[in-house]
Amino acid sequence: MAAFTIAGIRFSALPAGSLLPSSSVSARSGQHGERSSAGLSLLSRKGATRHWKIFAGNSSYNTDSASTAVTSGKVLVPGVPIDEPPNPTVSTEGGEAVSNDLQVSKDRIQMEDKVEAKEELVASKVMVSEDGENEGGEGLTQTDESDGTLETAPRSIPPGDGQRIFDIDPLLDAHRTHLNYRYTIYKRMRHLIDTHEGGIDAFSRGYENFGFTRSETGITYREWAPGAMSAALIGDFNNWNPNADVMARNEFGVWEIFLPNNADGSPAIPHGSRVKIHMETPSGIKDSIPAWIKFSVQAPGEIPYNGIYYDPPEEEKYVFQHPQPKRPRPLRIYESHIGMSSTEPKINSYASFRDDVLPRIKKLGYNAVQIMAIQEHSYYASFGYHVTNFFAPSSRFGTPEDLKSLIDRAHELGLLVLMDIVHSHASNNVLDGLNLLDGTDTHYFHSGSRGYHWMWDSRLFNYGNWEVLRFLLSKARWWLEEYKFDGFRFDGVTSMMYTHHGLQVAFTGNYNEYFGYATDVDAVIYLMLVNDLIHGIFPEAVSIGEDVSGMPTFCIPVEDGGVGFDYRLHMAIADKWIEFLKKSDEHWGMGEIVHTLTNRRWLEKCIAYAESHGQALVGDKTIAFWLMDKDMYDFMALDRPSTPRIDRGIALHKMIRLVAMGLGGEGYLNFMGNEFGHPEWIDFPRGEQHLSTGVVIPGNNNSYDKCRRRFDLGDADYLRYRGMQEFDQAMQHLEEKYGFMTAEHQYISRKDEGDRMIVFEREDLVFVFNFHWNNSYFDYRVGCAKPGKYKVVLDSDDKLFGGFGRIDAAAEYFTAEGWHDNRPRSFLVYAPSRTCSVYAPCED
């Protein structure tokens, strides 16, 4: 039989005739009506039927919102120190926060129905039976690997009554009933999980019972597929015979089969074998990749992926050698993509990233690496956001052991490894993913139009479904437990929290936008549960949410009534820079820059960034390319004269990044390559696409030319990119030394529209920005708090950073007593045009 090798594993060829038609790759359910009000029928106790009413807000949404721009939360203004919390303000219709009595009444009625129903809910019988054994005969008592002791009781609900959010933000009081309802349902869900699943710890270990699990006597395979009429396990091990290993279904829709070891004691399914589940479904006969598969690959020349039974022998399993680093107080995150991390136009590997890119990240001064596109996705050009196999690392880059080796090496270097995780939607692919896995539209997703994201062309999870909760919570646990990731950046959280998904909605800050009919309460409860899981079982893990709406309580602990994220991505900053870059310099407002950077909620931490991967995708441009455009092709070499556009671009590129780090939040993020001003855009290899609507989207002839990173440009000492990279490195190391992003003392003393100056303090450092395109200022007085002598610790105009060297690095600056810009002291500086500099007090 023919064979091929993928990611270091040798496979036999798939028999002819075992593939589904290629046209099924992007097939949809076709059902876009409203979901039935009957709810989901589940079995609570053996023989008893219950209906679980799932509430996720009213799908109709009134797009009328407040017309007044809002500043909600923590704002730094001249003369107002933010060492003390200001009273949050919000602009709403009529100038006052408005409660929604209709929504409150609706919430109360549905809460009573939902809690009563969920009290009776029990998950699938396969998880826990009365004698504490599962159906495969393996006990479910969990072992704490850290000390080898048995866990005797489920984790309790964290202390707290969910009321602290009202002290933090008094404006939430108008929505107290809604928020109390939310917290009550969260506690009820935790109670149900504790009562019927043995606690959130056991509940989040679904991968130990679903999918393939191996015991001393054989292999058990389980799949939740309630819509299927029959099921069989097929693969290389049984020559893809659908009659060889027929599965049995229990009353909860879980299909199961046990394959005893061979006579010689070897497993019935060899490691590396291709496997699928063959089902008779309402949509016809279907061969699907198991939902809980740990690895999947695409054979050369074939369209579909194949699930892989991944269970290497002990001697081939990677053993972690290095402990996970403690969470650094200020996060400096290097966002990256494994496949496009090579300087060559190709798909890079886990091993190459480990050996070539990780040391670069460490040298630059970042303390965390965020990796995109880890979960398997059949369409490479989706950037990893159309996930097909949620427990499987992408086979394009190597094996699971290769990924573990990469993470271990990062830990050796002291780097946290964060995963860009997708919980907000799933690929529409019916061949390789979850869509129509059991032949029904309602399996893991909402039915009809509510289960389909029209802009992303993807399916939307039903977060009110018990088995969906098990699946998603277990997925989060799996990556932290098995691969030792140090946390997550949750993608698309705004889409999850609202039934309108944030599409065509301009969030103004009116609190009714957050706590009204459009709120998907089930999704918010899930986010509370997953953050509870992460922080409860992995206390050092980091949780970052991508939310553009500004949802209040987003980064407040769950026990205080919040959603529980550690950080929110400060997405407005990057959007503001793109807005500014489309204007000439004289239209850049200093107050507008400061407001955008500092407009964040009290006690809710943010990750600031000038640009992430999102600003560099095809159709857009990097900040450097916005600034310098085609001049970057001809005038970046040091052996030829520069141009005014290049000089402006390099100067502003450095200023934009430092002001974002200085004022934008408690953490910082940069996408790989942008530290040296990567030119052009990112364009994944794409073929021509024919949509079901008849529209044809042209491709790029499957070119990898724009799907790589030209690190050689930043390293070349004969190119101007080198200076921008050196500045980014100096910026990271300055933050490492002084920790200013998490400093308690922050004060903005000047935002001068005439001089185009911004001056602020973070801890003892004084930051001075001159955005003027012509004017340089001698003896410019800047306020400060601490008396004594100051020296320059970072100067964007340094020749090392591609500047003109107009500031004397050895100069000393002495303070004078007396109030200036509401500061008790001040000193004089030279502020050349388009430069930024940082001053620190120093001892003699």
Side-chain angles (χ1 to χ4, degrees), residues 277-400:
I277 180 172
H278 176 86
M279 289 179 288
E280 179 186 0
T281 78
S283 302
I285 300 297
K286 188 173 188 292
D287 293 348
S288 298
I289 295 177
W292 298 73
I293 200 71
K294 306 304 190 300
F295 197 47
S296 63
V297 300
Q298 183 183 41
E302 293 183 357
I303 292 176
Y305 276 65
N306 284 286
I308 300 298
Y309 176 72
Y310 194 83
D311 185 23
E314 290 299 321
E315 63 271 15
E316 295 182 16
K317 293 181 179 178
Y318 187 83
V319 178
F320 287 89
Q321 303 294 321
H322 305 284
Q324 294 176 248
K326 296 292 185 182
R327 184 199 303 189
R329 195 173 175 205
L331 277 175
R332 300 185 302 276
I333 304 170
Y334 195 82
E335 185 185 38
S336 59
H337 183 285
I338 301 293
M340 56 174 293
S341 63
S342 172
T343 58
E344 301 298 323
K346 65 178 185 180
I347 297 179
N348 209 16
S349 67
Y350 294 123
S352 294
F353 188 91
R354 175 196 64 205
D355 297 337
D356 301 333
V357 184
L358 285 180
R360 170 183 295 275
I361 297 170
K362 177 65 175 179
K363 181 180 178 181
L364 285 170
Y366 293 87
N367 55 25
V369 53
Q370 177 181 303
I371 308 180
M372 308 174 65
I374 288 296
Q375 298 159 284
E376 189 59 88
H377 47 291
S378 61
Y379 185 44
Y380 188 45
S382 74
F383 223 134
Y385 289 120
H386 280 206
V387 175
T388 45
N389 309 125
F390 285 82
F391 288 81
S394 180
S395 59
R396 289 182 181 86
F397 318 137
T399 68

Side-chain angles (χ1 to χ4, degrees), residues 334-335 360-361 364 366 611 653-654 657 668 670-678 709 711 714 721-729 732:
Y334 195 82
E335 185 185 38
R360 170 183 295 275
I361 297 170
L364 285 170
Y366 293 87
E611 58 182 333
H653 190 271
K654 292 177 286 187
R657 287 163 191 284
Y668 179 78
N670 171 63
F671 182 65
M672 66 176 185
N674 289 347
E675 67 273 8
F676 58 83
H678 202 288
R709 291 288 89 177
F711 292 119
Y721 296 101
R722 178 68 175 269
M724 291 191 283
Q725 178 169 286
E726 292 286 351
F727 181 79
D728 193 271
Q729 179 172 317
Q732 307 303 323

